[in-house]
């Protein structure tokens, strides 16, 4: 019964109708009853407390004031037009200001009318004002729903407010919906699970999340609904993993042979770190279980992931298999190829590269040598996925930078052998543990958490635009020592024109400070053709230019050991993980490297935290944790495409303990009942299949 009622189109809800339904669909993604029920309040406010105007101070959160509109006027010309109303109570006068929906607001607020105003007060020129407040016509006898000290606040939009669907309007719609369907809401978790984790019923939780009876009831409702979200995500991921291990047998690499040993004892130019040795051991154990390996290798920039991958490739070759490494761009593939060749030398194992620009004739030769098994390692881009590329016996696939490749592309590489090859995914973006457990829950995770000996930490400083001369002086000193410098400008998507202006103004200033013939500059931006971009990059890599100016983020992984200075202009516009990635472009050689963050004087609290974090630490995992807290999981690189993070209430930064609890529970359930056929787990199976659109277990993965 619940199915039917919650699938009802939203236009049929009392008080909604077709016009409002259209806006709800467009602005909030609310199509059916169930979507509205899952549009949870983002906070709760105490509606029993009214403030007086003379009690206001700018540190207060949103407050509620009862008063009368005295007058109103539209101020400013068309670009900066605003509606200003003077609002009075028995202790003073303040302003209410609107910058949008002026015509509509102008109709609503008439001098003399009495309103309850709700919003955050701010102080401007000695007067208090509230921008875009919520308004409610004062009705002394109106009955409010739920507990007045915990009134729900819902996110809304300007367009919705025009249709009376502000937070109050949404609250009314939720009340109508709950009245109509609360009794038909069915349970999704088995009784034993609710008992073990001390969870309230789903019915009670959904009622109390919208209209909490008390602070305690709200806390229990949040805990129950968050647990359910995290539990079903983990069930989906771990079930996929169980299926894969049942379904796909894996090649066994039992011999540690000549290639591996000779490389380790004679060719490796440095001592492996403890973390690298530990990871090699973890991977080695995977390749001996007879099950296809799927492992995520996480390591900070420069932690030596490539060497680990190379040693596993040599292990595959020792056992009669071929290996391939796939990178997202030609520049990166070229770089992997160069570093692998440099490590292996010429007459050790055969290594070739295949990209979009490999000539036709050379391609044919490569294809033949791969099919005959003569070629041991191939490095490439998406070109490796093409049907024409056939291996004699592919045993290991290494994929660089996970978020650039879809699951479908990985699957096409699996099909290159009768027994699917082992898969090692490398990422240079450290991912917080909780996020990794959620995004890559179906992969085993290995972490390289130390840098090679002798690597000097990069020194990071934050300068304001007014200290630019100091920056130029520092650049001259470093270039005089024979070093190279990166200067990166942000790419602000909304305004490519603005970007190029920034870049052009920047280049002009730099060309004046660093004139020819003494200094030479490479320039890379999004408007350049791919081959011009590659040519400019090559000039810098070869050391023909000392300064590289770029808008588009310099390719992840581009390795120029002689570049020792990274200057990031308008650093406040970058996210933390982006700043950390950019900083990782330097510090590749033995010399001390530097990162200079340039910003304007006006910084938001978040921007300040980001820049302070960068100056304070080089630890990518710590940075990723702070990034998760600042930005929330939805924006962390790659999570949007993953489709996994459909979290309505749970927060991966705050609910780490609950996530671990949910994951542990799922592991226990799947160990005892992998197909969820036991009587007590049928409710889970049913709910899961319903959520996956009727997908049967064996189709997942």
């Amino acid at each position: 019964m619940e199915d039917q009622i919650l699938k009802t189109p939203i236009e049929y809800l009392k008080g909604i109708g077709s016009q409002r339904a259209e806006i709800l669909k467009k602005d909030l993604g609310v199509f059916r009853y169930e979507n509205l029920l899952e549009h949870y309040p983002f906070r709760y406010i105490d509606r029993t407390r009214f403030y007086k105007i003379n009690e206001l101070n700018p540190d207060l959160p949103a407050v509620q004031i009862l008063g009368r509109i005295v007058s109103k006027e539209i101020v400013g010309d068309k670009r900066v037009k605003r509606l200003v109303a003077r609002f009075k109570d028995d202790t003073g006068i303040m302003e209410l200001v609107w910058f949008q929906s002026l015509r509509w607001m102008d109709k609503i607020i008439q001098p003399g009318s009495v309103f309850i105003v709700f919003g955050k007060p701010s102080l401007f020129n000695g007067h208090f004002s509230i921008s875009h407040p919520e308004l409610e016509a004062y009705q002394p006898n109106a009955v409010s729903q739920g507990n007045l000290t915990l009134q729900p606040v819902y996110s809304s939009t300007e367009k919705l407010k025009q249709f009376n669907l502000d937070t109050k309007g949404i609250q009314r719609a939720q009340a109508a919906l709950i009245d109509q369907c609360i009794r038909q809401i069915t349970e999704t978790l088995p009784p034993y699970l609710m008992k073990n984790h001390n969870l309230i019923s789903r019915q009670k939780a959904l009622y109390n999340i919208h209209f909490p009876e008390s602070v305690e009831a709200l806390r229990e409702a949040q805990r129950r609904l968050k647990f359910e979200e995290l539990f079903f995500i983990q069930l989906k991921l771990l079930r996929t993993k169980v299926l894969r291990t049942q379904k796909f047998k894996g090649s066994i690499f039992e011999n540690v042979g000549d290639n591996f040993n000779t490389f380790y004892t004679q060719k490796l130019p440095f001592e492996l770190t403890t973390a690298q040795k530990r990871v090699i051991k973890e991977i080695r154990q995977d390749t001996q279980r007879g099950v296809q390996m799927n492992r995520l290798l996480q390591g900070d920039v420069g932690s030596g992931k490539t060497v680990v991958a190379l040693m596993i490739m040599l292990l595959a070759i020792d056992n009669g298999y071929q290996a391939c490494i796939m990178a997202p761009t030609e520049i990166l593939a070229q770089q992997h190829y160069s570093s692998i060749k440099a490590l292996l030398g010429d007459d050790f194992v055969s290594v070739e590269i295949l990209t979009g620009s490999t000539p036709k004739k050379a391609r044919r030769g490569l294809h033949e040598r791969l099919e005959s098994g003569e070629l041991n390692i191939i490095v490439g881009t998406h070109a490796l996925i093409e049907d024409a590329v056939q291996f004699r016996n592919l045993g290991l696939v290494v994929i660089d930078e996970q978020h650039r490749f879809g699951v479908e592309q990985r699957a096409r590489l699996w099909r290159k052998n009768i027994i699917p090859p082992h898969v090692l995914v490398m990422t240079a973006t450290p991912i917080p543990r909780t996020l990794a457990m959620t995004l890559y829950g179906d992969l085993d995770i290995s972490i390289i958490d130390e840098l090679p000996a002798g690597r000097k930490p990069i020194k990071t400083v934050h300068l304001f635009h007014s200290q630019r001369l100091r920056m130029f002086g520092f650049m001259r000193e470093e270039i005089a020592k024979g070093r190279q410098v990166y200067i990166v400008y942000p790419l602000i998507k909304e305004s490519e024109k603005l970007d190029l202006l920034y870049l052009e103004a920047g280049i002009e200033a730099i060309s004046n400070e660093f004139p020819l013939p003494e200094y030479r500059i490479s320039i890379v931006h999004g408007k350049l053709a791919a081959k011009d971009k590659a040519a400019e990059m090559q000039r810098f890599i070869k050391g023909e230019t000392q300064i590289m100016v770029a808008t588009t983020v310099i390719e992840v992984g581009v390795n120029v050991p002689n570049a020792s200075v990274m200057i990031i202009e308008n650093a406040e516009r970058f996210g933390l993980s982006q700043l950390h990635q950019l900083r990782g472009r330097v510090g590749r050689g033995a010399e001390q490297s530097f990162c200079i963050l340039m910003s304007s004087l006006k910084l938001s609290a978040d921007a300040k935290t980001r820049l302070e974090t960068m100056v304070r630490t080089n630890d990518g995992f710590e940075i990723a944790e702070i990034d998760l807290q600042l930005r929330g999981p939805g924006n962390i690189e790659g999570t949007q495409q993953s489709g996994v993070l459909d979290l309505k209430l749970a927060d991966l930064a705050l609910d780490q303990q609950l996530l671990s609890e949910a994951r542990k529970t799922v592991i226990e359930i799947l160990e005892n009942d992998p197909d969820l056929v036991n009587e007590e787990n049928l409710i889970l199976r049913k709910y899961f299949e319903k959520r996956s659109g009727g997908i049967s277990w064996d189709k997942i993965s």
Side-chain angles (χ1 to χ4, degrees), residues 142-178:
V143 181
S144 277
Q145 182 97 10
N147 179 337
L148 275 186
T149 56
L150 287 167
Q151 283 285 292
V153 182
Y154 296 93
S155 55
S156 181
T157 63
E158 288 302 321
K159 197 74 183 265
L160 281 163
K161 286 174 187 169
Q162 292 181 24
F163 286 83
N164 283 338
L165 283 172
D166 54 2
T167 191
K168 272 283 179 219
I170 293 174
Q171 196 180 321
R172 279 192 296 274
Q174 294 286 13
L177 176 62
I178 281 173

Side-chain angles (χ1 to χ4, degrees), residues 137-274:
Y138 178 56
Q139 296 163 311
N141 307 321
V143 181
S144 277
Q145 182 97 10
N147 179 337
L148 275 186
T149 56
L150 287 167
Q151 283 285 292
V153 182
Y154 296 93
S155 55
S156 181
T157 63
E158 288 302 321
K159 197 74 183 265
L160 281 163
K161 286 174 187 169
Q162 292 181 24
F163 286 83
N164 283 338
L165 283 172
D166 54 2
T167 191
K168 272 283 179 219
I170 293 174
Q171 196 180 321
R172 279 192 296 274
Q174 294 286 13
L177 176 62
I178 281 173
D179 281 350
Q180 193 179 334
C181 69
I182 195 75
R183 283 170 205 80
Q184 279 126 344
I185 283 171
T186 54
E187 196 43 74
T188 54
L189 297 174
Y192 76 89
L193 208 66
M194 288 165 63
K195 187 165 170 265
N196 292 351
H197 292 277
N198 207 3
L199 299 170
I200 60 172
S201 73
R202 188 157 181 259
Q203 203 175 76
K204 198 171 169 187
L206 283 167
Y207 181 84
N208 275 291
I209 196 85
H210 292 291
F211 300 107
E213 288 153 1
S214 65
V215 174
E216 181 53 29
L218 173 63
R219 215 171 48 76
E220 288 188 331
Q222 287 172 328
R223 188 169 176 275
R224 153 69 211 227
L225 294 169
K226 285 176 175 186
F227 181 87
E228 181 178 309
E229 277 186 353
L230 297 167
F231 176 83
F232 282 107
I233 283 178
Q234 291 300 321
L235 186 62
K236 182 177 179 181
L237 286 166
L238 291 166
R239 175 65 198 153
T240 307
K241 189 173 169 181
V242 167
L243 273 169
R244 205 181 47 226
T245 50
Q246 286 172 352
K247 207 166 164 183
F248 298 117
K249 294 289 159 262
S251 323
I252 296 178
F253 297 172
E254 50 194 342
N255 306 320
V256 178
D258 288 347
N259 290 307
F260 186 94
N261 286 327
T262 308
F263 177 77
Y264 185 58
T265 53
Q266 294 170 29
K267 290 185 173 285
L268 195 59
F270 44 77
E271 178 68 26
L272 291 178
T273 62
T274 318

Side-chain angles (χ1 to χ4, degrees), residues 685-698:
R685 185 182 175 116
K686 222 164 79 190
Y687 179 70
F688 192 94
E689 287 180 349
K690 190 174 77 188
R691 286 296 286 259
S692 310
I695 295 174
S696 61
W697 282 117
D698 60 322

Side-chain angles (χ1 to χ4, degrees), residues 570-581:
N570 294 103
E572 71 273 25
R573 296 186 182 214
F574 289 95
L576 247 184
S577 65
Q578 232 181 342
L579 288 171
H580 181 63
Q581 283 289 324

